[in-house]
Amino acid sequence: MAGVSQEEVKAAPAGPFPLRVPRPYIARMKRGDPGDPLLRQVLPSSFEWDSVPGYVEDPLEESAAVADAGLLQKYAGRVLLITTGACAVNCRYCFRRHFPYAEHRQAQHFPALDAIRQDPSVREVILSGGDPLMLRDTHLARLLKAITAIDHVRRVRIHTRLPVVIPKRVTNALIDALHSLPQQVVIVLHFNHAAELDDEVDAALAALRPFTLLNQSVVLQGINNDADLLAGLSERLFAAGVLPYYLHLPDAVAGTAHFHVGETEATALHQELTARLPGYLVPRLVRETPGLPSKELVAG
């Protein structure tokens, strides 16, 4: 896809999903380059207003996975807790850009935990949102303490983009709160391009390195649908102590069709990665299909 034109920028009203991007992330963008891969992830485009058949507000049918207010259960043995609707950055391809967060707000004591306490089959709690690291350290520590008291929970997984876009969010208080957990801690990050890593991000990842660090990316048209870029991302992540985990096909979310990469192209990219990288640096190519018991493996 060609670089964003001035006309496209002017024709892209904010709407209900406005431009939101923190300064530390902006600082990594290449000035004067409308095709910068970081800029393209966050800059609204007039293409978002196109109505494209098959692209809907809830392509993953998450509304059918609601187990309680603020709690989703898509797969056996694990639940996803909507900790907040807030994010530090509005990624234009976000699969929850239409999510009804107002219906899932949690009080300070997180009443959705009651459902987890009553279900001994739950072994893993996934903190999501929004972004769970948008919570204040004191609030997050209180939530983590409540989770530690649930005997049958063995792992806590945190899905976050904050260390990517505001690396200084990784505070000593956050690290202390995570260390206090008797359960295993897994942190799933979201880098799509090697340019998203710099010295500050490296320092944040080093502070998190006592925990299991995984990365999931989305293959995006005009941003990273290139084998050299994806290979470079895997190498750069591993150098920073992060294991490439998933490479997602884009979800068919209304307003995101211009990021589409088809299965044939994505599979060819994955095959090239497999040919040039050691196996542990090749993320699994997956899609999420509603109703299946797990992510659907496309390749890997």
Side-chain angles (χ1 to χ4, degrees):
M1 206 160 60
V4 178
S5 68
Q6 289 292 329
E7 290 73 20
E8 286 175 5
V9 175
K10 291 176 182 177
F17 194 63
L19 172 68
R20 178 180 295 142
V21 54
R23 292 186 182 277
Y25 194 72
I26 294 172
R28 283 169 251 159
M29 296 176 184
K30 188 175 180 181
R31 291 184 177 274
D33 181 3
D36 179 86
L38 278 62
L39 175 68
R40 298 301 301 276
Q41 292 183 59
V42 301
L43 185 68
S45 164
S46 59
F47 293 124
E48 295 178 34
W49 297 95
D50 293 345
S51 179
V52 179
Y55 281 76
V56 297
E57 291 190 354
D58 185 16
L60 305 183
E61 299 179 11
E62 290 196 314
S63 58
V66 174
D68 204 335
L71 198 67
L72 306 182
Q73 183 159 27
K74 301 181 184 182
Y75 308 126
R78 50 208 185 273
V79 293
L80 188 148
L81 182 65
I82 300 292
T83 56
T84 175
C87 276
V89 60
N90 279 348
C91 303
R92 307 318 302 174
Y93 52 88
C94 179
F95 72 100
R96 288 205 181 114
R97 59 184 290 164
H98 305 288
F99 191 82
Y101 287 109
E103 300 173 15
H104 295 273
R105 287 185 180 137
Q106 293 288 296
Q108 289 286 316
H109 65 289
F110 285 91
L113 293 179
D114 291 336
I116 300 173
R117 294 185 186 100
Q118 295 165 18
D119 186 354
S121 72
V122 174
R123 295 290 184 264
E124 182 173 60
V125 176
I126 303 166
L127 304 187
S128 186
D131 195 307
L133 294 194
M134 289 295 287
L135 300 178
R136 293 183 179 179
D137 284 331
T138 53
H139 192 182
L140 182 60
R142 188 164 57 248
L143 170 59
L144 293 173
K145 185 177 180 179
I147 293 173
T148 67
I150 305 175
D151 291 339
H152 53 266
V153 173
R154 297 175 181 171
R155 288 179 303 278
V156 176
R157 195 194 322 170
I158 299 174
H159 284 218
T160 180
R161 193 145 156 82
L162 257 294
V164 182
V165 298
I166 309 179
K168 287 185 178 178
R169 174 62 187 89
V170 180
T171 62
N172 290 335
L174 172 63
I175 299 300
D176 290 344
L178 295 176
H179 272 303
S180 73
L181 284 172
Q183 292 95 342
Q184 290 179 305
V185 176
V186 179
I187 299 175
V188 180
L189 302 154
H190 182 178
F191 292 91
N192 290 319
H193 196 284
E196 292 177 310
L197 291 103
D198 64 3
D199 291 344
E200 266 198 314
V201 174
D202 284 340
L205 296 177
L208 291 169
R209 209 169 292 167
F211 313 105
T212 300
L213 303 182
L214 305 175
N215 184 67
Q216 54 182 3
S217 303
V218 183
V219 58
L220 299 164
Q221 188 67 236
I223 292 173
N224 63 2
N225 59 318
D226 176 277
D228 289 335
L229 294 178
L230 292 172
L233 174 61
S234 284
E235 295 277 12
R236 184 66 177 83
L237 285 169
F238 193 68
V242 182
L243 191 67
Y245 172 47
Y246 277 152
L247 178 62
H248 284 266
L249 289 173
D251 298 310
V253 185
T256 70
H258 53 296
F259 291 118
H260 173 76
V261 175
E263 181 177 338
T264 299
E265 180 184 355
T267 300
L269 289 170
H270 192 270
Q271 288 172 344
E272 194 164 345
L273 292 180
T274 302
R276 69 166 71 177
L277 294 174
Y280 56 87
L281 291 187
V282 181
R284 286 172 285 180
L285 180 64
V286 297
R287 68 159 62 87
E288 186 168 344
T289 302
L292 291 187
S294 67
K295 297 283 194 302
E296 185 178 2
L297 187 65
V298 179

